[in-house]
Amino acid sequence: MKKSTKIFIAVFLILVIGIFIHPSKVIYIPKITGKVIDENRNPLKGAIVSRIEELETVNKKWGYFEYTKYRTQTTKTDQNGNFQLEEKSRIEWIHTPLDLPFAYCYGNFEIEKVGYKTYQTKFGEFEQFHKANCYACEKIEFKPIITLKKENKN
């Protein structure tokens, strides 16, 4: 092979790889600012609030994607029952240049307190369609008021 052909192929491969592997896409996870109350509308102090995210892995034996839920960004409610999970971001290195200019933003979390039933959001409970750009949940905030029910002791 000629030297010029090798150089052309090398440059072409670098350009093609550069289209798919570069740190230009930032994914945001929404800010969640809320309040936890009991059934009598009294604020609950010290309830543990955790963001729920999904970890995507590949099953090595069969080759399909598996999704595992895990807790991140844990905080406790203050004396007024208020909590805040800050907006987070991560960089996606591998993506296509054909990414859509809109996204659905989900705010999934879990609340635990001794003596109360654990509350976990259901799929789509806190979601918002975001059309501005492909940064998903940038500058989106959910403000839930969650009522925890007492545990039945039988």
Side-chain angles (χ1 to χ4, degrees), residues 107-121:
N108 297 321
F109 57 93
E110 178 180 85
I111 302 173
E112 298 174 306
K113 174 126 175 104
V114 175
Y116 292 88
K117 291 182 182 177
T118 299
Y119 173 85
Q120 187 171 5
T121 56

Side-chain angles (χ1 to χ4, degrees), residues 32 36 46-51 72-77 81-85 109-112:
I32 302 171
V36 180
I48 299 170
V49 182
S50 304
R51 185 184 299 273
T72 63
Q73 210 177 4
T74 300
T75 187
K76 286 188 175 185
T77 56
N82 298 319
F83 68 91
Q84 182 169 317
L85 298 172
F109 57 93
E110 178 180 85
I111 302 173
E112 298 174 306

Side-chain angles (χ1 to χ4, degrees), residues 62-147:
W62 300 103
Y64 60 85
F65 288 103
E66 293 178 333
Y67 299 94
T68 306
K69 291 183 178 183
Y70 68 102
R71 296 179 186 144
T72 63
Q73 210 177 4
T74 300
T75 187
K76 286 188 175 185
T77 56
D78 65 10
Q79 62 194 15
N80 298 322
N82 298 319
F83 68 91
Q84 182 169 317
L85 298 172
E86 292 294 330
E87 179 180 75
K88 288 175 43 178
S89 66
R90 71 178 191 276
I91 295 175
E92 237 178 50
W93 284 82
I94 299 175
H95 53 88
T96 67
L98 304 173
D99 289 333
L100 298 173
F102 60 85
Y104 279 93
C105 179
Y106 297 100
N108 297 321
F109 57 93
E110 178 180 85
I111 302 173
E112 298 174 306
K113 174 126 175 104
V114 175
Y116 292 88
K117 291 182 182 177
T118 299
Y119 173 85
Q120 187 171 5
T121 56
K122 296 169 186 60
F123 178 76
E125 187 174 353
F126 294 99
E127 77 174 4
Q128 185 172 337
F129 180 74
H130 194 223
K131 193 176 176 183
N133 55 33
C134 60
Y135 293 137
C137 302
E138 183 180 31
K139 298 179 184 172
I140 290 182
E141 181 177 358
F142 294 109
K143 297 181 179 182
I145 297 176
I146 306 299
T147 303

Side-chain angles (χ1 to χ4, degrees), residues 42-57:
N42 297 321
L44 289 176
K45 178 184 177 184
I48 299 170
V49 182
S50 304
R51 185 184 299 273
I52 303 294
E53 295 184 43
E54 284 189 345
L55 178 65
E56 182 180 291
T57 55

